[in-house]
Amino acid sequence: MSETSPAPVVEMRDISISFPGVKALDSVSFRMFPGEVHSLMGENGAGKSTLIKALTGVYPIDSGTIMLAGEPLSVNGPAQAQDAGISTVYQEVNLLSNLSVAENIMLGREPRRFGLIDWAATRRRAAEVLAGLNLDIDPASPLSSHSLAVQQLVAIARAIDIRAKVLILDEPTSSLDADEVAELFRVIRRLKDDGVAILFVSHFLDQVYEIADRLTVLRNGALVGEYRTEEILRIELVHKMIGKDIELLERLETRSKSLDSTDSAGSAPYLTAHEIGRKGSIEPTSLTIQQGEVVGLAGLLGSGRTELARLLTGADRAETGTLTVAGSQRRFRSPRAALKRRIAYSSEDRKREGIVDDLTVRDNIVLALQSDRGWFRPIPKRRRDELATSYISALGIRPADPDALVRNLSGGNQQKVLLARWLAVAPRLLILDEPTRGIDVGAKAEIQRLVANLAEEGMSVVFISAELEEVLRLSHRIAVMRDRRKVADFVNEDVTVGEIMTLIASGSEDDTDAVATTVGAGA
Amino acid sequence: MTTTLPPVKAFSTRSRLARLIPSSRYTSVLVTLVLLVAMFAVGASRYRGFASGQVVMNLFIDNAFLIVLAVGMTFVILTGGIDLSVGAVVALSTMITATLLRDGWNPLAVIVVVLLATSTLGLLVGLVIHYFDIQPFIATLAAMFLARGLCYVISLDSISITDPFFVGLAQTRIPLADRLSITPTVIIAVAVVVIAFIVLHFTRTGRTVYAIGDGGASAHLMGLPVVRTKVLVYVISGFCSGVAGILFSLYTLSGYSLTAVGMELEAIAAVVIGGTLLTGGYGFVLGSLLGVLVLGSIQTIISFDGTLSSWWTKIVIGGLLLLFIILQRILTARRH
C-alpha cells in the first residue's frame, strides 16, 4: 500500500460547509484508499462529524468536489450514499428499537419470494452476518432486548451486509468493552483485506494506533494534515489536534498567579469519591477535593472528564463506589440532591443543559436558587431584582439589563449568567465543565479570575477544560484522565503543559507510570 | 464461517421456545382478545340468545365499515401520525355515492370515483404534512372540515339510494354453515384486513411503516424511503375511508351530510384498544380488528340488556380507552 499504487476510492477536495454564523469546514481535503483503515482525528468541533455527513449526503456541501472510485459523487441523502457504496455506522445507535435484530440488519434489502418478504431467508442471512461477527444472539429477538454494545454490533452487521466500498464507523467503540473491541477489530481487518476502505473515528488513541493505517487531523474546521500512523508519534498527534507547539506551550508555563498549595493541604477534604464508576461511562475512579481547592481535570474529549463530573453531581448515578461529602456518605440520585449538599454542576453543553434561551437574564440567574427553595416558596420580586443586579455588576454581564433575553447574549456573557446562577445558591463545591469553551479571550480571563477568587474565599472548584494552560494556571491539583480512567493525580508544582500532554497521549501503563513519577505523582 | 455456524443453530431452538412465551409486543393484543372473550362470556351468561353464532356474525355485519376505517387508521398511527378526517370522508363518500347513483351513474363507476376522490384527498393531506412539516393532527383536522363542508355543498338533505345494484348488494345474505349468514360487506372488510396484514408484515413498505414509527430519524439514516411511505399511509387511510364510506352507504342505503360524526374517534379508539401505540411503532392490524369487535360487543350487550341507556356505550368506551392507554404506558415502561 504505497502512496502511489492504488487510486483513492474517496477523494474529497476543498470541501467547505457553513452553518449560520459558523464555518464548519473550511476547504478541507480528504482521501481514502481501498483496503486501508483511515482515522479522522480532532477535538470536539474540529469538523469530523461534518466531514462524515458531507460524504454521506446528510449535509449539502457549499463548495468542493467529492469523487467516489474516480466518479464525481453527488448524493442527496443517506439512501443514495448507501446505493453508491458508502455505509455508515453513527455514534449514537441509529437503529429501530421496535423491530427485530434480523430486520434491523436487513430492512430495505430483505430477500423476497413472489414479491413478499421471505422471513426465513431474512433471518438466515441475518444470522450469517451475525455469525461473522461472532455474535450469538437470536435474529428474531427484539433489538430493544439487547445491550447498547450488542446494538452497536448489530448496526455494524447492517453496514457490513450492504457490502459497501466505504465503511464509516463513527465512534463505534464508545459503548464496547475490551473483548467486543477486539472482535470488532478482527472484523475490520477482514473487511480491510477484502479491499473495503474503512473510516474509523475514535477518541481512544490506543485504538487508533492499533487499527489505523493513516490519519487525517482536523482542527477548527480546517485540515491540519494527513499522516501515516507509524510515522507520527502520539505526542505529535495530540499537539496537532490541540493545536499548540510544544515549545510555545512550555514557554507559556510561567503561571500568572502563584498558587498557594499549602493553604489547602491542611484542611479536611470536602468531597471524597472512592472508586466511583459506571459501566460504559467511566471506570472506578477515586478523587478527593479539599475545601478551597481547585482541582483541574485534564484529558481529551471522551477521556472520562465529563463522565466523572456527572457522577459526582448525580447527573448520572454511580454504579460502584462511595461518595463522602463533608464527612458523611451520600448517594446522589439527581443534580437536585447534590445541590441540597451544596454541590453545583455547570454542564459543558451550555445551550442544551445550561441556559434557558427564552428567559431573561434575571430568570436564568434565579432559576437554580428557586428550584432549591422549592416551587411553593417563590423568591420575592425584590430579592430577585437584587440578585440579578448584584451578579450582573459583580460578573460584568453585558448588556447590564436583567430583562434582556439570554438568547441575545454572547457566549461569554451566557456563561457568566450560568456562573451567576450557580453562585446564587452559594455552593461549597462548584463543578465547571468547559466554562470557557467558545468564548472570547477577555471573557475567558474574567471567568478564570473569578474561579481563583472563589477558591480563595473557601469554595472548592472542579475545573474541566480542554485547554491545558488554563487548567495549569488555575488548579492547585490536577487529575489527568485517559480512556475513561484517572491516570495521574498530582499537586500542580512545576508541571508543564508538555508533561500533561505526554500523560494524555501515552499508550501503555508503563509509560504513564514513568511520566507520572517524573511529574511527581501524588495520588 | 463453518466454525461459527453451530451457535447459530443452538439459539434457533431456544428462540422457538422463547416465541411461545408472549413477549410484551403481543401482550396488549392478547389482553384485548381476553377482554373480548370475557365480554362474550358475560353476555352469554346474562342474556338468553346471546351465545349464538349469528350474534358474532352481526358484529361483523354492523361494524364492517368501522373495521375498514380502523385498518387505515392503524397504518397512520403506526407511523406516529393521526387521521381525524376519516369520519367526514366517510360522510362525503356516502354523499358522492348517493348523488351520483341518483343521477344514474353506473354503480361501478361511482365506486371508482369515490375511491379516487378519497385517495386523492389522503394524498394531499400527506403531502401537506410532509412538505410544510405540519402536525398530522392539524392537517387532518383541516381535511375533516373540508370534507364535511363539501357534504353540505352537495346537499343538505338525506339522499336515499335506490340503485338496483346497491340495493341488491345490501340485501344479499351469504349463507354459511348452521343457519348463519353474512353480508358481502363483511367479505370486503375481512379482505381489507387480510391485505393490510400482508402489506404490513410481508412487504418492505409495510416494514418501513413500522420503522418510521420508531422516530423517523433512524429510518432516514438507514436509507429507507421515509417520505414516500409517510405520505402513502395517508393515501391508504383516505382509500380505506372511501371503502368504508361505500360500505356505510350499503348499510344505510342513503347518503347524508350529518352521518358518521365522530366516527374518526371510534376508529382511533378501536386501534388503541387493539393495542397499537399512539406514539407509533408498535401494533397489529389484527389487534385493531379485535378493537372494533370489542366496541361492537359493548353495543350488543347494551341492546340485549334493554334497560341500559345507549350512552353507556360511550361511558364504557371511555373507561376502556383509559385502561388501555395506561396498560400501554406500563408495557412501554417495562420495555425500556
Side-chain angles (χ1 to χ4, degrees):
Chain A
M1 219 204 318
S2 74
E3 294 284 342
T4 48
S5 59
V9 58
V10 171
E11 194 157 23
M12 301 175 82
R13 275 213 204 106
D14 303 322
I15 305 292
S16 294
I17 291 182
S18 296
F19 300 122
V22 199
K23 189 125 197 179
L25 282 182
D26 189 4
S27 192
V28 171
S29 296
F30 174 73
R31 55 184 191 156
M32 283 173 78
F33 293 94
E36 78 163 6
V37 178
H38 196 124
S39 216
L40 201 51
M41 307 295 296
E43 273 285 83
N44 208 3
K48 290 175 298 184
S49 294
T50 313
L51 188 72
I52 289 172
K53 287 189 170 156
L55 182 58
T56 54
V58 178
Y59 294 156
I61 53 173
D62 294 344
S63 64
T65 54
I66 306 177
M67 307 281 277
L68 183 73
E71 302 277 322
L73 176 75
S74 107
V75 288
N76 181 16
Q80 285 181 27
Q82 225 173 69
D83 293 341
I86 301 173
S87 169
T88 315
V89 177
Y90 293 93
Q91 188 169 357
E92 304 88 33
V93 177
N94 275 296
L95 291 177
L96 305 160
S97 56
N98 59 338
L99 299 182
S100 71
V101 169
E103 275 198 81
N104 271 289
I105 297 173
M106 302 303 300
L107 204 62
R109 300 184 316 284
E110 300 98 334
R112 285 185 289 192
R113 218 169 34 181
F114 314 117
L116 299 180
I117 295 171
D118 181 349
W119 284 113
T122 301
R123 280 197 274 270
R124 204 162 47 237
R125 229 174 94 186
E128 281 167 20
V129 187
L130 289 171
L133 284 165
N134 257 352
L135 200 55
D136 178 17
I137 56 170
D138 179 2
S141 58
L143 183 82
S144 57
S145 66
H146 299 289
S147 69
L148 207 59
V150 170
Q151 294 189 18
Q152 184 77 54
L153 288 171
V154 170
I156 291 165
R158 176 179 174 84
I160 290 171
D161 188 66
I162 290 172
R163 294 182 202 293
K165 290 195 271 280
V166 179
L167 175 61
I168 300 170
L169 302 172
D170 188 1
E171 293 280 356
T173 57
S174 54
S175 54
L176 305 187
D177 67 23
D179 289 340
E180 288 160 338
V181 170
E183 201 55 58
L184 175 63
F185 281 6
R186 200 181 56 78
V187 175
I188 290 179
R189 292 202 179 92
R190 207 184 66 209
L191 290 170
K192 186 176 129 176
D193 293 341
D194 291 344
V196 178
I198 295 146
L199 179 57
F200 180 79
V201 179
S202 174
H203 282 114
F204 300 108
L205 288 182
D206 290 1
Q207 293 177 3
V208 168
Y209 270 86
E210 188 184 338
I211 196 83
D213 300 304
R214 202 187 295 266
L215 308 166
T216 292
V217 181
L218 298 180
R219 191 174 63 236
N220 295 329
L223 178 70
V224 176
E226 188 202 82
Y227 314 92
R228 295 186 59 79
T229 313
E230 68 239 29
E231 287 165 5
I232 183 167
L233 293 171
R234 279 164 195 254
I235 186 101
E236 289 177 68
L237 177 64
V238 173
H239 291 158
K240 292 195 190 304
M241 286 164 63
I242 297 179
K244 300 278 156 57
D245 241 348
I246 192 155
E247 296 83 16
L248 181 71
L249 287 175
E250 298 200 345
R251 261 188 283 124
L252 274 171
E253 263 335 276
T254 32
R255 271 175 282 153
S256 52
K257 185 171 163 43
S258 78
L259 298 163
D260 195 356
S261 51
T262 51
D263 209 30
S264 58
S267 63
Y270 182 66
L271 179 144
T272 312
H274 179 68
E275 295 288 305
I276 58 165
R278 182 182 165 89
K279 200 170 174 294
S281 167
I282 187 162
E283 307 281 319
T285 302
S286 300
L287 190 71
T288 305
I289 301 154
Q290 313 281 343
Q291 203 164 323
E293 184 184 41
V294 180
V295 176
L297 288 188
L300 293 175
L301 187 88
S303 61
R305 50 184 204 212
T306 296
E307 289 78 358
L308 181 58
R310 291 180 68 90
L311 286 195
L312 292 179
T313 57
D316 288 332
R317 284 192 206 175
E319 286 168 353
T320 63
T322 57
L323 202 61
T324 312
V325 180
S328 45
Q329 197 160 319
R330 300 284 173 198
R331 244 189 131 81
F332 295 141
R333 290 175 174 277
S334 65
R336 191 178 152 84
L339 197 57
K340 285 267 173 254
R341 301 286 147 218
R342 309 257 69 85
I343 297 177
Y345 171 54
S346 172
S347 162
E348 64 173 335
D349 196 341
R350 190 163 60 222
K351 280 247 165 347
R352 279 179 38 214
E353 297 180 355
I355 53 157
V356 183
D357 254 3
D358 290 323
L359 291 185
T360 61
V361 169
R362 183 198 298 107
D363 292 340
N364 266 282
I365 289 177
V366 300
L367 196 59
L369 184 62
Q370 180 65 74
S371 145
D372 190 36
R373 288 166 60 109
W375 298 116
F376 298 110
R377 291 173 53 220
I379 304 169
K381 185 171 181 336
R382 252 211 13 237
R383 176 91 186 101
R384 275 181 296 179
D385 288 338
E386 265 171 38
L387 275 172
T389 345
S390 63
Y391 279 110
I392 285 173
S393 70
L395 305 186
I397 294 170
R398 294 285 172 273
D401 173 12
D403 287 314
L405 286 185
V406 163
R407 67 157 73 245
N408 298 329
L409 268 57
S410 71
N413 281 302
Q414 290 182 349
Q415 190 62 51
K416 286 185 196 164
V417 170
L418 263 189
L419 260 175
R421 177 194 294 171
W422 296 119
L423 295 178
V425 300
R428 295 191 57 197
L429 170 61
L430 178 61
I431 300 183
L432 298 172
D433 197 350
E434 293 275 14
T436 59
R437 183 163 72 202
I439 67 177
D440 64 73
V441 188
K444 213 176 248 190
E446 281 178 56
I447 285 172
Q448 290 172 3
R449 192 171 37 91
L450 193 76
V451 169
N453 291 343
L454 290 170
E456 258 171 24
E457 288 163 16
M459 194 186 290
S460 308
V461 179
V462 172
F463 191 85
I464 304 175
S465 173
E467 275 185 54
L468 296 178
E469 305 94 312
E470 193 175 63
V471 174
L472 268 174
R473 203 173 308 142
L474 283 172
S475 311
H476 298 104
R477 215 151 46 78
I478 296 174
V480 179
M481 309 288 297
R482 172 160 54 78
D483 292 357
R484 301 188 194 130
R485 308 184 282 125
K486 189 174 82 173
V487 292
D489 185 341
F490 44 82
V491 174
N492 184 11
E493 273 173 341
D494 306 321
V495 187
T496 64
V497 169
E499 283 165 334
I500 295 179
M501 268 198 185
T502 319
L503 280 170
I504 290 173
S506 54
S508 66
E509 293 291 299
D510 314 323
D511 284 1
T512 317
D513 290 346
V515 180
T517 355
T518 60
V519 172
Chain B
M1 196 61 78
T2 45
T3 51
T4 48
L5 270 177
V8 177
K9 277 191 178 155
F11 66 63
S12 70
T13 49
R14 204 198 313 149
S15 74
R16 209 162 291 147
L17 268 176
R19 258 176 247 154
L20 288 177
I21 304 158
S23 73
S24 61
R25 217 150 67 92
Y26 302 109
T27 315
S28 47
V29 179
L30 285 176
V31 170
T32 314
L33 186 63
V34 168
L35 177 73
L36 187 60
V37 171
M39 286 172 75
F40 261 86
V42 169
S45 68
R46 291 193 56 173
Y47 312 112
R48 224 149 47 88
F50 194 94
S52 90
Q54 195 56 46
V55 170
V56 180
M57 291 306 128
N58 286 345
L59 263 187
F60 279 87
I61 294 169
D62 295 337
N63 293 293
F65 54 92
L66 193 57
I67 291 172
V68 175
L69 218 49
V71 166
M73 189 66 77
T74 308
F75 277 84
V76 175
I77 293 182
L78 276 176
T79 65
I82 196 103
D83 191 345
L84 296 181
S85 69
V86 295
V89 174
V90 164
L92 181 61
S93 305
T94 66
M95 287 305 283
I96 297 174
T97 308
T99 316
L100 293 184
L101 287 176
R102 188 187 57 191
D103 294 352
W105 280 51
N106 179 314
L108 291 176
V110 170
I111 291 170
V112 171
V113 167
V114 167
L115 296 183
L116 271 179
T118 56
S119 304
T120 311
L121 188 65
L123 176 69
L124 287 176
V125 169
L127 292 174
V128 165
I129 287 171
H130 174 69
Y131 284 101
F132 297 101
D133 196 19
I134 288 173
Q135 296 276 335
F137 184 93
I138 292 299
T140 58
L141 189 69
M144 177 184 109
F145 283 117
L146 178 72
R148 190 64 72 179
L150 284 175
C151 289
Y152 298 128
V153 171
I154 293 171
S155 171
L156 291 173
D157 306 316
S158 172
I159 304 166
S160 60
I161 294 171
T162 51
D163 176 82
F165 176 78
F166 263 65
V167 173
L169 206 58
Q171 286 165 351
T172 306
R173 287 288 179 277
I174 300 162
L176 299 175
D178 198 21
R179 287 180 296 143
L180 300 178
S181 69
I182 53 167
T183 54
T185 54
V186 174
I187 293 176
I188 293 169
V190 171
V192 168
V193 172
V194 170
I195 293 168
F197 179 82
I198 292 171
V199 168
L200 278 176
H201 294 278
F202 292 93
T203 68
R204 289 180 184 172
T205 304
R207 300 321 290 167
T208 308
V209 169
Y210 280 90
I212 293 171
D214 199 47
S218 292
H220 177 67
L221 286 174
M222 284 166 90
L224 299 171
V226 172
V227 175
R228 199 178 69 200
T229 312
K230 222 169 152 180
V231 174
L232 183 69
V233 293
Y234 291 94
V235 178
I236 291 172
S237 181
F239 178 84
C240 285
S241 309
V243 173
I246 292 163
L247 296 187
F248 197 66
S249 37
L250 279 170
Y251 188 67
T252 60
L253 277 181
S254 67
Y256 186 36
S257 305
L258 276 173
T259 198
V261 171
M263 197 187 272
E264 63 280 351
L265 302 179
E266 273 180 66
I268 294 168
V271 172
V272 171
I273 290 173
T276 301
L277 221 57
L278 269 176
T279 45
Y282 293 91
F284 304 96
V285 72
L286 293 178
S288 302
L289 171 64
L290 293 178
V292 173
L293 296 181
V294 165
L295 295 187
S297 306
I298 299 169
Q299 265 160 343
T300 310
I301 287 178
I302 282 163
S303 67
F304 261 83
D305 188 280
T307 61
L308 291 170
S309 150
S310 69
W311 285 105
W312 277 101
T313 318
K314 305 278 177 200
I315 294 169
V316 175
I317 292 176
L320 278 182
L321 257 183
L322 205 59
L323 198 77
F324 273 80
I325 287 168
I326 292 167
L327 177 76
Q328 286 184 357
R329 258 288 155 241
I330 295 165
L331 291 175
T332 322
R334 244 189 16 197
R335 205 150 31 212
H336 294 296

